[in-house]
């Protein structure tokens, strides 16, 4: 092997200087006495060897090999064969039996030690069994779900329902349900969590079986095990779908060895002894220096030792590594010897000195070991480090995690090692994202949180937006002291966690270093390639089971990545004044269409990428100078056709039995779901990354760039950062974008990846962990209720007092536990710093969307997840970070709210966005936005032109679009202005269940008069806007209410059957939804009539009469259905079925009343007369329905006062908390007016013959004649028909015009 350091060369096979002549040629060799002293100092004999036996003979490089061989000889017991031992049967290397010892479908890692459940309850056992002695193996818990871990015999038969512990002679521990299993089950042990280590112990001498959790014994689980002839026990596990573990049978040092128990696989004892001795010799070299001038040895600290190229030292190290290097390729020896040695360096010294020593050790490894040996050694070293980090218990000072991270940083500071690990190990094998995760302790006592947070506290009410709870009294002095003590404890915990987070950020800063490009590609560009693959694995869900990163890991990784990204972004700004600060960051729009960044199969706003390239190729050429190659278009089309087909070679490599139920799958192996330290699937779901040909000269305005395909690995630094006459990632800059660079192009790709990460799983995890806070609120409410009962309980009822006291103690203990766990969750997920990270991502997305919107049709190339992240990150900031942190405290809060409001208002009806899901998300986000005062005011602050355009889109006809969401938006703009429409809880629920004060409440009304005015102006402007909008509203109301009536008929029939049939909950939900839609549509009609009454009452408009008649018809139908005595609606409401709580008289009747009051009380005199005549002319009108509103069977006599409301009968007078006296008086005037008008109409009406009635509705007299066919009907029928059809009812001839019947008759008479 060639020495890389001292300018001399020597062979790996022999370092002996064979003659004095050769020795004389080598300069720098010290004199024989000093050399002898040095070698004796370094190669001191083992403790049990007599010094006299080895020190009599002088040492030199000629006899050093024999001397070293003698020192490395081990005792005969250590050299014993590691084959069959008494008490054990099977191969000496113990793995999982993937050939026959399994049941169900399982995914097994390449090393046959990690396993993932891929069926209901799969089972697998090991290849080795034991029948005598005391044995142990360890299981590393990667997920904390349903698993049963233990032992079984070969005769045990399992299936998809029964696993280990469910049959005779099989025994298991289940930490998910905290039980032990052997046919029957009882409580046992503690709950396990992801990151725990379970030790499974069997003592076949005494016939007992027990378990340990993180080295702590859980006690004897089973006794009197069956032993004797044919009884041997295999390690075994049963696990449910997607649960994962990794076994350690002894291939690695046990994390928690127990005296007297042997691992199933023997350790390499002889090699371990040799490695420990060689490490001692290596340490001796680092602790002494040669002083040739004085002729003596100088003792030095390891941190002060430096490799100076002395031949004596180099030759000495070469002899050591000649034996040491092969041993350092073994995982057991790396973890037992090298990791412990390096950890000792890190723990003993300051960070800088320790990093220097580790750096020198790595230099020596690269210098004296072959490349393949160093590669194996570094791989095993990082695997061991990651395993130690993930499966170490949480201690109060997080000391273990800190030491492991400091060592990882020291290793990654070594440039050559860092590049190797990035290229071949990190992301590819280790999934190094684990290094950025801080696991949450499930058992707060073991994590020391009781010492850190001795005083617990919890909030007494929820302050989540959109909810109200009972007002709490002022905080007492005792509660204030407890809260402050709790907050101090939380701060102590947060400071300790911040130490770990800072170390994690340092790791990412090293991986994002782009200044280490001497001798190869810089670390950042290697990281970008691996990071993109990581994102693809987590985004691509096709084909085989995706290799998913757990959401809890992704959250921590995102926050550390944002910190490192902003550090380098602002560092670049410091040296480049024309660049922007990270606070102004966004992703330029050309990144989305120039093909430099691969977005895999993620949906674009305008649809599929291949479709966009074909339809927008002219825009790409004109705005971005990008020419789509026809061959690329053809290839993209073929990719779309074949994208679901699996490549033939990959399909052929997979064994057929692996695809059947009951088989194990050695490939693919999703590393995230199995052992986190064991590689990943060798098959990688890949799609071609499209890039641009790098131009070598400036492009004129007429020249185009052709697109060609490049894989992610083929991209160079120049493809990303650009060069002379090449803009790299920013190629194809549209004229709307500024010329000066924002930052380094590579950082833009990292930023794009961070936004994608949030969309993949971070938002989901943020919402999931809010459950801890919800649990605290629920237990706090239960504790308060229990304490209230204790105060009210008679002192004589000691039995009740005892039960209540017991309950109080349980709730208090649970709250103590949850409040400490909540402190951990807040520190790691919901701290102020984490909130600022999410807020920064929100602003990045808004700026990116704004810049993308400027480029016109090319906006369609933007991936959908940018809009999704903008919506979801705002939702997270609003709902997940309270009550500790408020969004209103964020810098630029009002401006950001307005910016988001403008984005939602502009794009919820954007024709460039075609995806149904993202359009629905935008609509729902806008509906939520206008529901709260702060965000509604932000909508009102956007430019007037955008506001009007938003309202115009809301008033578009409801057909062919998601009209329900649109209608809800309009209703929320009105809520608080309508008749009896100011409630925050459904009034009928509070009347029937006043004790249910914890029922979810509605948001307080916050109407927008400004947006209402825009709506009124738009309805008045065009002749077609109001008719088309109102016609669609009336159509949808007719459909929604008809569907509702049909459903309650089915529900009533099911309830009346003798056999008790349960009504489908989905049907109840749809029924309630139709009712709510009917109410909301009625409220929109009420708003329209209030704002623009002339649309219905000014019959100079061509459609007013028709709209008024349709409205009257629907109102009468609703009133008749709802107000009839003991009718279908009454009976269903009386049932009070779960899911139909919102169905009641009040919501729908007050909405109808509001419309009638506006028509018959507030309108102009002429309008009131027209509305009255139309209402009374409708054949469905019943005065009794109007009387029902005030709880009357018949109208009162003129001049008499209203009777008192009957509690058993519905009456608006019963809801005085929600309906004002003035509104009741208006209803009274309306009833009096209709009573009088109805009497007058009855007296004046003349009998009509059947021949004069409309042949369509038989309700109105004939009043219209169709031209040219001459058929007749009433005006209401023909007007409604002509809204959708121009053919005659009877002869199907095309109707050219409609004339009044009287005009037509007079014209005929004149002609005659």
């Amino acid at each position: 092997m060639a020495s890389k350091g001292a300018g001399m060369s020597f062979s790996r096979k022999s370092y002996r200087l064979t003659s004095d002549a050769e020795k004389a040629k080598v300069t720098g060799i010290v004199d024989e006495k000093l050399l002898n002293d040095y070698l004796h100092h370094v190669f001191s004999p083992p403790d049990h060897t007599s010094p006299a036996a080895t020190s009599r003979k002088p040492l030199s490089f000629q006899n050093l090999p024999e001397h070293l061989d003698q020192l490395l000889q081990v005792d005969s017991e250590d050299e014993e064969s590691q084959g069959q031992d008494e008490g054990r049967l099977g191969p000496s290397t113990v793995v999982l039996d993937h050939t026959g010892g399994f049941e169900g479908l399982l995914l097994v890692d390449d090393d046959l030690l990690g396993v993932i459940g891929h069926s209901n309850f799969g089972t697998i056992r090991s290849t080795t069994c034991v029948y005598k002695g005391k044995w142990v193996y360890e299981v590393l818990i990667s997920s904390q779900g349903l698993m049963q871990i233990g032992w079984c015999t070969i005769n045990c038969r399992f299936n998809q329902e029964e696993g280990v512990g469910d049959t005779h002679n099989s025994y298991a521990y289940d930490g998910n349900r905290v039980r032990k299993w052997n046919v029957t089950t009882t409580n046992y042990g503690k709950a396990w969590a992801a990151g725990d280590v379970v030790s499974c112990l069997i003592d076949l001498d005494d016939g007992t079986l027990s378990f340990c959790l993180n080295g702590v014994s859980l006690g004897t689980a089973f006794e009197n095990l069956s032993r004797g002839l044919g009884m041997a026990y295999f390690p075994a596990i049963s696990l449910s779908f997607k649960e994962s573990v990794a076994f350690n049978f002894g291939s690695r040092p046990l994390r928690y060895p127990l005296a007297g128990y042997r691992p199933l696989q023997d350790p390499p004892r002889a090699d371990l002894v040799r490695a420990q001795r060689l490490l001692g010799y290596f340490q001796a070299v680092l602790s002494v220096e040669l002083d040739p001038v004085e002729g003596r040895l100088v003792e030095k600290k390891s941190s002060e030792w430096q490799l100076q190229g002395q031949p004596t030292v180099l030759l000495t190290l070469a002899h050591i590594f000649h034996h040491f290097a092969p041993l350092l390729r073994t995982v057991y020896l790396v973890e037992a010897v090298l990791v412990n040695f390096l950890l000792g360096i890190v723990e003993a010294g300051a960070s800088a000195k320790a990093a220097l020593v580790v750096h020198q050790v790595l230099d020596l490894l690269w210098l004296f070991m072959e490349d393949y040996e160093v590669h194996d050694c570094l791989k095993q070293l990082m695997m061991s480090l990651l395993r130690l980090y993930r499966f170490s218990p949480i201690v109060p000072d997080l000391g273990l995690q800190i030491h492991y991270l400091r060592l990882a940083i020291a290793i990654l500071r070594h440039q050559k090692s860092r590049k190797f690990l990035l290229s071949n190990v990190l992301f590819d094998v280790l999934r190094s994202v684990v290094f950025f995760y801080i696991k949450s302790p499930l058992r707060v006592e073991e994590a020391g949180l009781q010492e850190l947070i001795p005083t617990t506290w919890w909030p007494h009410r929820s302050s989540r937006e959109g909810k109200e709870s009972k007002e709490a009294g002022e905080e007492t002095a005792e509660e204030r002291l407890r809260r402050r003590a709790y907050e101090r404890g939380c701060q102590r915990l947060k400071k300790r966690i911040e130490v770990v987070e800072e170390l994690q950020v340092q790791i990412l800063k090293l991986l994002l270093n782009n200044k280490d490009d001497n001798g190869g590609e810089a670390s950042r560009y290697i990281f970008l390639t691996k990071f993109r693959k990581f994102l693809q694995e987590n985004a691509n869900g096709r084909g085989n089971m995706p290799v998913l990163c757990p959401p809890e890991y992704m959250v921590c990784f995102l926050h550390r990545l944002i910190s490192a990204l902003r550090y380098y972004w602002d560092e670049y700004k410091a040296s480049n004044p024309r660049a922007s600060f990270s606070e102004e960051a966004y992703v330029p729009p050309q990144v989305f269409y120039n093909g430099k960044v691969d977005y895999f199969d993620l949906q674009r706003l305008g649809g599929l990428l291949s479709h966009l390239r074909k339809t927008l190729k002219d825009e790409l050429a004109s705005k971005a100078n990008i020419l789509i190659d026809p061959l690329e278009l053809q290839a993209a089309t073929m990719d779309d056709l074949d994208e679901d087909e699996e490549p033939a070679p990959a399909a052929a490599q997979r064994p057929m039995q692996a695809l059947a139920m009951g088989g194990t799958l050695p490939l693919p192996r999703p590393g995230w779901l199995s052992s986190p330290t064991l590689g990943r699937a060798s098959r990688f779901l890949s799609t071609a990354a499209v890039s641009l040909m790098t131009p070598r000269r400036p492009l004129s305005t007429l020249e185009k760039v052709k697109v060609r395909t490049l894989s992610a690995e083929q991209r160079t630094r120049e493809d990303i950062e650009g060069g002379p006459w090449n803009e790299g990632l920013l190629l194809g800059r549209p004229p709307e974008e500024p010329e000066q660079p924002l930052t380094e192009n590579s950082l833009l790709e990292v930023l794009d990846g961070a936004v994608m990460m949030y969309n993949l799983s971070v938002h989901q995890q943020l919402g999931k962990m809010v459950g801890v806070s919800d649990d605290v609120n629920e237990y706090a409410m239960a504790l308060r209720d229990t304490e209230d009962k204790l105060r009210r309980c008679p002192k004589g009822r000691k039995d009740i007092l005892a039960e209540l006291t017991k309950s109080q103690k349980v709730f208090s203990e649970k709250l103590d536990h949850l409040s400490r766990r909540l402190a951990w969750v807040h520190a790691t997920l919901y701290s102020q710093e984490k909130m600022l990270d999410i807020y920064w991502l929100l602003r990045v997305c808004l700026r990116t969307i704004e810049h993308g919107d400027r480029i016109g049709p090319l906006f369609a190339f933007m991936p959908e997840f940018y809009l999704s992240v903008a919506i979801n990150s705002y939702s997270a900031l609003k709902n997940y970070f309270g009550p500790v942190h408020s969004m209103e405290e964020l810098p630029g809060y009002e401006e950001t709210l307005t910016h988001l409001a403008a984005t939602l208002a502009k794009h919820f009806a954007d024709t460039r966005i075609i995806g149904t899901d993202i359009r629905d998300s935008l609509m729902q986000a806008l509906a939520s936005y206008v529901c709260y005062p702060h965000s509604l005011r932000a909508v009102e602050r956007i430019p007037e032109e955008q506001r009007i355009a938003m309202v115009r889109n809301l008033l578009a006809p409801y057909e062919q679009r998601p009209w329900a969401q649109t209608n809800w938006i309009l209703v929320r703009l009105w809520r608080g202005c309508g008749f009896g429409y100011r409630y925050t809880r459904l009034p009928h629920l509070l009347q029937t269940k006043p004790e249910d004060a914890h029922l979810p409440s509605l948001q307080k009304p916050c109407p927008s008069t400004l947006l209402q005015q825009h709506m009124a102006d738009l309805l008045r402007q065009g002749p077609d806007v109001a008719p088309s909008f109102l016609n669609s509203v009336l159509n949808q109301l007719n459909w929604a209410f008809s569907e509702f009536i049909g459903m309650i008929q089915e529900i009533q029939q099911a309830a009346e059957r003798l056999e008790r049939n349960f009504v489908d909950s989905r049907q109840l939900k749809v029924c309630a939804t139709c009712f709510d839609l009917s109410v909301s549509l009625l409220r929109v009609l009420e708003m329209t009539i209030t704002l623009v009454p002339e649309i219905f009452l000014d019959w100079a408009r061509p459609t007013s009469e028709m709209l008024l008649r349709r409205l009257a018809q629907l109102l009468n139908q609703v009133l008749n259905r709802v107000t009839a005595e003991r009718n279908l609606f009454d009976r269903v409401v009386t049932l009070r079925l779960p899911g139909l709580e919102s169905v009641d008289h009040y919501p729908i009747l007050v909405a109808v009343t509001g419309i009638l009051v506006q028509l018959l009380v507030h309108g102009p005199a002429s309008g009131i007369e027209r509305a009255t005549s139309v209402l009374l002319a409708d054949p469905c009108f019943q005065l009794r329905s109007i009387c029902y509103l005030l709880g009357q069977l018949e109208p009162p006599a003129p001049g008499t006062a209203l009777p008192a409301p009957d509690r058993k009968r519905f009456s608006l007078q019963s809801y005085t908390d929600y309906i004002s006296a003035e509104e009741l008086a208006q209803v009274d005037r309306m009833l009096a007016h209709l009573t009088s008008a109805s009497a007058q109409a009855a007296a004046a009406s003349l009998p009509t013959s059947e021949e004069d009635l409309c042949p369509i509705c038989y309700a109105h007299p004939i009043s219209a004649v169709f031209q040219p066919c001459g058929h007749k009907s009433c005006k209401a029928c023909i007007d409604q028909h002509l809204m959708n059809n121009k053919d005659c009812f009877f002869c199907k001839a095309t109707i050219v015009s409609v004339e009044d019947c009287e005009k037509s008759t007079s014209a005929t008479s004149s002609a005659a």
Side-chain angles (χ1 to χ4, degrees), residues 551-858:
E552 59 269 25
Y553 289 61
M554 196 79 90
V555 174
C556 295
F557 183 30
L558 175 67
H559 287 297
R560 312 303 174 264
L561 186 64
I562 289 175
S563 298
L565 169 63
R566 297 191 67 177
Y567 167 81
Y568 278 112
W569 193 301
D570 291 330
E571 183 184 65
Y572 182 80
K573 166 66 178 175
S575 57
N576 296 269
R578 295 183 63 195
S580 66
F581 287 105
S582 62
E583 275 298 329
E584 304 159 0
Y586 68 92
V587 180
Q590 58 265 40
V591 173
F592 306 132
Y593 59 73
N594 68 14
K596 288 284 190 175
V597 178
D598 182 15
Y599 288 101
F600 335 122
D601 296 328
L602 296 178
Q603 189 77 3
R604 309 297 182 103
L605 292 177
L608 294 175
L609 180 61
S610 56
H611 167 74
L612 292 174
R613 282 183 175 159
K614 286 184 285 188
T615 56
L616 296 177
K617 58 183 179 181
D618 294 337
E619 285 79 3
L620 283 171
S622 60
K623 292 182 75 73
N625 286 342
I626 292 179
L627 181 65
I628 303 297
D629 192 335
L631 294 178
E632 286 289 335
L633 287 176
Q634 182 180 0
T637 305
M638 296 304 295
D639 286 343
D640 291 342
L641 293 175
D642 300 336
E643 60 188 358
D644 292 326
E645 296 181 9
E646 184 178 8
Q653 290 172 3
R654 185 177 302 111
M656 290 302 295
Q657 67 271 19
L659 301 178
M661 291 301 292
T664 59
L665 301 180
L667 288 175
R669 178 186 23 66
W672 267 121
L673 298 179
S674 64
S675 167
T677 62
L678 301 174
R680 64 176 184 82
S682 60
R683 182 165 186 263
F684 181 73
L685 301 176
S686 61
T687 54
V690 179
S691 185
L692 292 179
M693 182 181 296
T694 304
R696 298 301 178 189
R697 56 192 175 84
L699 295 175
S700 69
T701 56
L702 299 179
E703 289 178 299
K704 314 298 179 189
V705 181
K706 270 191 180 179
V707 171
R708 65 184 176 90
T709 301
L710 286 176
S711 67
E713 292 84 354
Q714 289 175 316
R715 291 193 311 172
T716 63
R717 177 170 186 160
E718 188 176 356
D719 288 318
I720 298 172
E721 299 291 4
W725 308 299
N726 172 21
E727 293 181 282
L729 284 186
L730 300 183
L731 201 60
R733 180 179 60 83
E736 294 85 359
E737 280 296 295
E739 294 186 12
Q740 65 269 20
L742 290 171
T743 185
E744 296 169 285
N745 291 352
S746 52
L747 296 181
L748 292 174
E749 185 171 341
V750 176
L751 174 59
D752 176 77
V755 177
M756 190 188 300
M757 281 173 61
Y758 186 90
N759 182 66
L760 290 177
S761 58
V762 171
H763 182 75
Q764 166 196 353
Q765 182 66 14
L766 288 176
K768 177 182 175 182
M769 294 309 294
V770 173
V772 179
S773 180
D774 292 339
D775 290 344
V776 170
N777 290 330
E778 289 179 10
Y779 276 100
M781 184 178 295
L783 178 61
R784 289 197 300 273
D785 290 344
T786 305
E787 290 173 345
D788 289 342
K789 291 175 182 177
L790 270 173
R791 285 192 291 269
R792 298 196 306 267
C793 181
K795 294 184 179 180
R797 296 300 304 270
K798 294 184 179 180
D799 53 340
I800 299 178
L801 284 172
E803 288 298 322
L804 289 174
T805 304
K806 182 179 178 181
S807 300
Q808 182 187 30
K809 181 181 178 182
V810 170
F811 291 144
S812 296
E813 290 175 353
K814 189 67 176 178
L815 276 169
D816 287 342
H817 171 88
L818 285 175
S819 64
R820 292 187 176 102
R821 186 157 181 256
L822 185 62
W824 185 282
V825 171
H826 278 159
T828 53
L829 289 181
Y830 302 119
S831 67
Q832 181 72 23
E833 293 75 17
K834 309 301 186 298
M835 190 178 191
L836 288 170
D837 286 344
I838 305 301
Y839 183 58
W840 182 72
L841 270 188
L842 167 61
R843 300 180 75 171
V844 165
C845 290
L846 291 177
R847 281 190 290 268
T848 302
I849 295 167
E850 180 184 8
H851 282 262
D853 179 50
R854 296 173 185 170
I855 60 175
L858 298 184

Side-chain angles (χ1 to χ4, degrees), residues 412-606:
L412 292 173
R413 286 190 189 280
H414 191 267
Q415 180 177 316
K416 192 170 184 180
S417 300
R418 176 172 70 249
K419 289 187 178 181
F420 164 74
L421 292 170
L422 256 177
S423 299
N424 302 283
V425 180
L426 302 178
F427 291 104
D428 281 347
V429 176
L430 287 185
R431 310 296 185 191
S432 61
V433 178
V434 172
F435 272 129
F436 310 113
Y437 174 56
I438 304 177
K439 66 181 180 181
S440 176
L442 187 63
R443 299 170 297 276
V444 298
E445 299 83 5
E446 296 174 17
L449 293 187
Q450 287 179 329
E451 291 77 18
L452 273 177
I453 310 174
T455 304
T456 58
W457 173 85
W458 46 87
H460 287 277
R461 56 174 175 169
S462 171
S463 60
R464 296 268 295 277
E465 190 168 11
K467 291 187 178 182
E468 271 186 26
S469 58
K470 289 186 291 186
E471 292 295 326
E474 291 295 326
E475 189 178 42
T476 64
E478 181 183 356
E479 288 175 345
R480 185 163 53 252
L481 290 174
R482 283 186 61 195
R483 176 176 56 80
R484 291 175 179 173
Y486 176 74
E487 290 172 350
R488 288 193 297 270
C490 293
Q491 285 300 316
R492 289 192 294 268
L493 174 63
K494 182 183 175 185
K495 287 179 181 178
R496 297 190 180 187
I497 290 175
E498 285 175 347
V499 174
V500 177
E501 292 176 345
E502 179 54 35
L503 292 173
Q504 293 169 334
V505 173
Q506 286 184 36
I507 292 178
L508 270 174
K509 287 180 180 177
L510 290 170
L511 300 183
L512 288 174
N513 183 4
N514 68 335
K515 303 295 192 297
D516 57 348
D517 54 353
N518 51 325
E521 196 173 10
S523 298
R524 181 182 297 175
Y525 306 104
I526 304 173
F527 173 84
L528 280 178
T529 300
K530 302 300 180 182
F531 182 47
R532 212 71 199 174
K533 282 187 176 181
F534 167 79
L535 293 174
Q536 182 176 12
E537 289 173 351
N538 285 275
N540 196 334
R542 290 197 200 142
N544 293 304
M545 188 175 179
V547 185
L548 296 178
C549 171
E552 59 269 25
Y553 289 61
M554 196 79 90
V555 174
C556 295
F557 183 30
L558 175 67
H559 287 297
R560 312 303 174 264
L561 186 64
I562 289 175
S563 298
L565 169 63
R566 297 191 67 177
Y567 167 81
Y568 278 112
W569 193 301
D570 291 330
E571 183 184 65
Y572 182 80
K573 166 66 178 175
S575 57
N576 296 269
R578 295 183 63 195
S580 66
F581 287 105
S582 62
E583 275 298 329
E584 304 159 0
Y586 68 92
V587 180
Q590 58 265 40
V591 173
F592 306 132
Y593 59 73
N594 68 14
K596 288 284 190 175
V597 178
D598 182 15
Y599 288 101
F600 335 122
D601 296 328
L602 296 178
Q603 189 77 3
R604 309 297 182 103
L605 292 177

Side-chain angles (χ1 to χ4, degrees), residues 959 1031-1032 1035 1110 1278-1287:
E959 286 77 10
N1031 186 58
S1032 63
N1035 287 340
R1110 288 196 65 194
I1278 189 58
D1279 286 345
Q1280 185 171 347
H1281 177 69
L1282 290 177
M1283 292 291 293
N1284 303 305
N1285 200 328
K1286 300 298 182 184
D1287 296 339

Side-chain angles (χ1 to χ4, degrees), residues 267-334:
R269 295 188 184 91
D271 286 344
L272 181 59
V273 172
R274 294 188 185 99
Q276 289 170 340
R277 292 178 185 176
L278 288 166
L279 178 63
Y281 306 149
F282 178 65
Q283 289 177 288
V285 172
L286 299 183
S287 64
V288 69
E289 281 190 359
L290 290 167
D291 187 350
V293 178
E294 298 290 337
R296 65 188 179 89
L297 303 179
V298 180
E299 297 283 347
K300 280 209 166 188
K301 295 181 180 179
S302 298
S303 59
E304 299 174 359
W305 186 88
Q306 290 185 352
L307 179 63
Q308 298 174 344
Q310 295 174 320
T312 301
V313 177
L314 291 174
L315 284 170
T316 303
L317 289 170
H319 280 87
I320 293 173
F321 277 97
H322 179 69
H323 296 274
F324 204 12
L327 299 178
L328 290 181
R329 299 180 62 197
T330 308
V331 58
Y332 192 101
L333 300 179
V334 168

Side-chain angles (χ1 to χ4, degrees), residues 74 205 220 223 244 269 392 465-466 486 570 645 682 696 729 811 827 1022 1080 1106 1289-1290:
V74 296
D205 297 333
T220 301
E223 297 176 334
S244 57
R269 295 188 184 91
S392 291
E465 190 168 11
Y486 176 74
D570 291 330
E645 296 181 9
S682 60
R696 298 301 178 189
L729 284 186
F811 291 144
S1080 67
M1106 183 271 295
F1289 285 115
F1290 307 101

